[in-house]
Amino acid sequence: MESTNQQTNRSFIDRITDWAEQYYRFLFVLGMGLVIFLCFYRLSVHYVVSWDEARFGINAYEMLKSGNFIMNTFRYEPDYWNLKPPLSMWGTALSFLIFGYNKLGLRAFSAACYVVLTAVAARFVEKRFGKLQALLTILFLCANTACFSFHMIRSGDSDSLYLLFYTLSMLCMLMIRERPRMLYGAGFFFACAFLTKSWHAGTIVFVGFFFLLLTGEIKTLKGKRLLAFLASFLIPMGLWAILRFTQDGTEFFKEMIFYELLTSSQEAIENHQQEFLFYVKNYFVTTWRQYIYLAALLIGGAGLIGYRKRLKEEGRSYLAVGFFLWALMPILWFSIAATKLIWYSYATLIPILIGAGIVAGTAVRDRNISAGLRTAAFVGVLVLTGYFIAGNVQNIRAEYGNDFHDFFAEAN
């Protein structure tokens, strides 16, 4: 009888969220279906962008034709314009083998990387915060307008794979306290991020260093543990460096250091010069299509303040430290650099969106907050994410091809 009364006295929002958690697996599959739809719907329609996308595609194509998977080439000559290690080119080459030498083959690997990123992030959130938080995390990642629009998820370049490895490294870092061996995972995925997008992965070093320092984990890096950590990233990077050296000696490494790192950080290469607040304005101020990030940032910030005492009591303050550093360092690093392109600091957006999903779900499930406020918050989050997801669909439907490119591709 008492159980029946408790069931009757539950608020509407509690019944809804309990239902969502009861049918979590079904809703998770639906959410991932939405991600797959956004990633692959009309993926082969948009014309091939003549800079990075086309270049990476040519590098991957020539790797398959030449059989040389260590040195990227352009017109079968060493390519010293695209100074990235080959991991993303291997992914595109695999995609070509599966889907053919076409626009779908060029982009499918990038799209698949974001599907994996979303699934892994949701799983991480589910295990540590709850099922509703995981479902809302999926929705926020589906509302990732910039990454669906420019140069990443639906583009055949290195950014989607790089962001996947970046995210995996950060999630491993956040698990170090509960599972110490994750330290080596963080190092390994840092190496993978470097072998995808070169010096762009450098921000992982800063995030990791300050995280280990501020959480006290740096004190555990002694003896065999330190050596194993160094080996986790130096061995894969070193193996690639040795193999690359056998191809053209030090030439590629010179260009990587003097042009890719030093020149681009000190000078605005190819006229990509912007003000210091370029990324802040583009993500949070200038464009209405990007306001999902401002909303997510405000939600995450409110949660950080409102739940700081609970996090401290539960011994999980280190998670807040990790998310804060993960969001701050990429945008700070690339704001300081002279060369600025909007996709350089995409790594900042992932923790902001994940954090918003965690905070929103936690607040909706918090019975210390009135049912009316929780209902309003839940509806507000659904409307917010739904609006920007619909915008992503609209943008995808508006994509168009190039008749000349299509004719040329079909003729060959």
Side-chain angles (χ1 to χ4, degrees), residues 12-49:
F12 172 76
I13 187 61
D14 288 324
R15 291 197 297 272
I16 290 294
T17 52
D18 286 347
W19 177 87
E21 296 192 351
Q22 181 181 356
Y23 294 97
Y24 170 73
R25 293 304 170 198
F26 172 71
L27 294 175
F28 177 85
V29 170
L30 283 183
M32 291 308 303
L34 177 60
V35 178
I36 293 170
F37 171 76
L38 290 170
C39 290
F40 285 92
Y41 176 51
R42 303 183 84 240
L43 188 60
S44 62
V45 171
H46 195 267
Y47 61 87
V48 177
V49 178

Side-chain angles (χ1 to χ4, degrees), residues 287-348:
T287 310
W288 72 270
R289 288 286 296 119
Q290 314 306 103
Y291 284 169
I292 182 63
Y293 306 117
L294 177 60
L297 185 64
L298 293 175
I299 292 170
L304 190 63
I305 296 170
Y307 289 107
R308 67 186 186 281
K309 185 177 180 181
R310 181 194 291 189
L311 286 170
K312 187 174 182 181
E313 291 173 349
E314 295 175 351
R316 299 205 293 175
S317 297
Y318 67 94
L319 292 174
V321 172
F323 272 100
F324 175 77
L325 292 171
W326 181 4
L328 174 66
M329 287 300 171
I331 199 169
L332 179 61
W333 169 285
F334 290 108
S335 292
I336 294 171
T339 303
K340 295 180 176 66
L341 287 164
I342 192 63
W343 51 88
Y344 277 9
S345 60
Y346 275 174
T348 282

Side-chain angles (χ1 to χ4, degrees), residues 99-403:
F99 297 101
Y101 298 113
N102 49 50
K103 288 184 283 187
L104 178 61
L106 176 63
R107 296 165 179 155
F109 187 74
S110 290
C113 286
Y114 194 72
V115 174
V116 175
L117 184 155
T118 305
V120 170
R123 182 67 171 168
F124 173 88
V125 173
E126 177 201 345
K127 287 291 186 181
R128 284 151 195 85
F129 297 96
K131 295 177 179 178
L132 181 65
Q133 290 89 331
L135 293 173
L136 293 182
T137 293
I138 292 174
L139 288 182
F140 272 103
L141 289 173
C142 285
N144 192 356
T145 54
C147 293
F148 276 108
S149 301
F150 316 115
H151 211 272
M152 189 191 139
I153 300 170
R154 297 173 56 83
S155 180
D157 49 52
S158 63
D159 289 275
S160 198
L161 180 62
Y162 162 71
L163 202 57
L164 172 60
F165 286 138
Y166 200 116
T167 301
L168 291 172
S169 182
M170 294 294 96
L171 294 181
C172 286
M173 179 191 76
L174 293 173
M175 290 189 283
I176 289 173
R177 183 161 294 184
E178 60 188 79
R179 296 172 62 185
R181 289 183 179 273
M182 285 295 106
L183 175 68
Y184 314 134
F188 174 74
F189 287 120
F190 157 68
C192 291
F194 180 86
L195 294 175
T196 300
K197 206 167 165 66
S198 186
W199 307 109
H200 289 251
T203 58
I204 297 177
V205 176
F206 288 96
V207 177
F209 171 76
F210 283 107
F211 177 80
L212 294 172
L213 181 66
L214 294 175
T215 60
E217 292 293 327
I218 199 167
K219 298 175 184 177
T220 68
L221 292 184
K222 297 176 182 178
K224 292 182 180 179
R225 182 171 167 80
L226 175 60
L227 290 176
F229 174 56
L230 293 175
S232 68
F233 59 87
L234 290 178
I235 288 177
M237 292 167 64
L239 287 175
W240 166 76
I242 293 170
L243 291 172
R244 179 70 207 213
F245 180 80
T246 64
Q247 300 295 310
D248 54 354
T250 61
E251 188 65 28
F252 184 82
F253 302 108
K254 288 179 183 177
E255 293 295 323
M256 272 185 68
I257 295 170
F258 291 106
Y259 183 78
E260 181 84 354
L261 176 62
L262 298 179
T263 302
S264 65
S265 62
Q266 298 172 13
E267 302 175 15
I269 60 174
E270 299 179 9
N271 296 317
H272 295 306
Q273 183 174 2
Q274 302 289 344
E275 59 182 317
F276 179 79
L277 294 177
F278 169 71
Y279 297 108
V280 173
K281 290 184 176 180
N282 272 276
Y283 293 149
F284 307 114
V285 180
T286 306
T287 310
W288 72 270
R289 288 286 296 119
Q290 314 306 103
Y291 284 169
I292 182 63
Y293 306 117
L294 177 60
L297 185 64
L298 293 175
I299 292 170
L304 190 63
I305 296 170
Y307 289 107
R308 67 186 186 281
K309 185 177 180 181
R310 181 194 291 189
L311 286 170
K312 187 174 182 181
E313 291 173 349
E314 295 175 351
R316 299 205 293 175
S317 297
Y318 67 94
L319 292 174
V321 172
F323 272 100
F324 175 77
L325 292 171
W326 181 4
L328 174 66
M329 287 300 171
I331 199 169
L332 179 61
W333 169 285
F334 290 108
S335 292
I336 294 171
T339 303
K340 295 180 176 66
L341 287 164
I342 192 63
W343 51 88
Y344 277 9
S345 60
Y346 275 174
T348 282
L349 305 178
I350 301 302
I352 290 175
L353 295 171
I354 295 174
I358 293 170
V359 170
T362 302
V364 169
R365 294 296 280 164
D366 188 350
R367 298 196 178 188
N368 293 318
I369 302 173
S370 71
L373 285 176
R374 289 187 288 136
T375 301
F378 186 58
V379 172
V381 167
L382 294 182
V383 171
L384 174 71
T385 54
Y387 175 77
F388 286 99
I389 291 170
N392 282 335
V393 175
Q394 182 179 0
N395 281 351
I396 292 169
R397 286 178 174 170
E399 290 178 348
Y400 58 91
N402 182 295
D403 292 339

Side-chain angles (χ1 to χ4, degrees), residues 85-96:
L87 273 190
S88 67
M89 302 167 208
W90 295 352
T92 302
L94 175 62
S95 189
F96 277 147

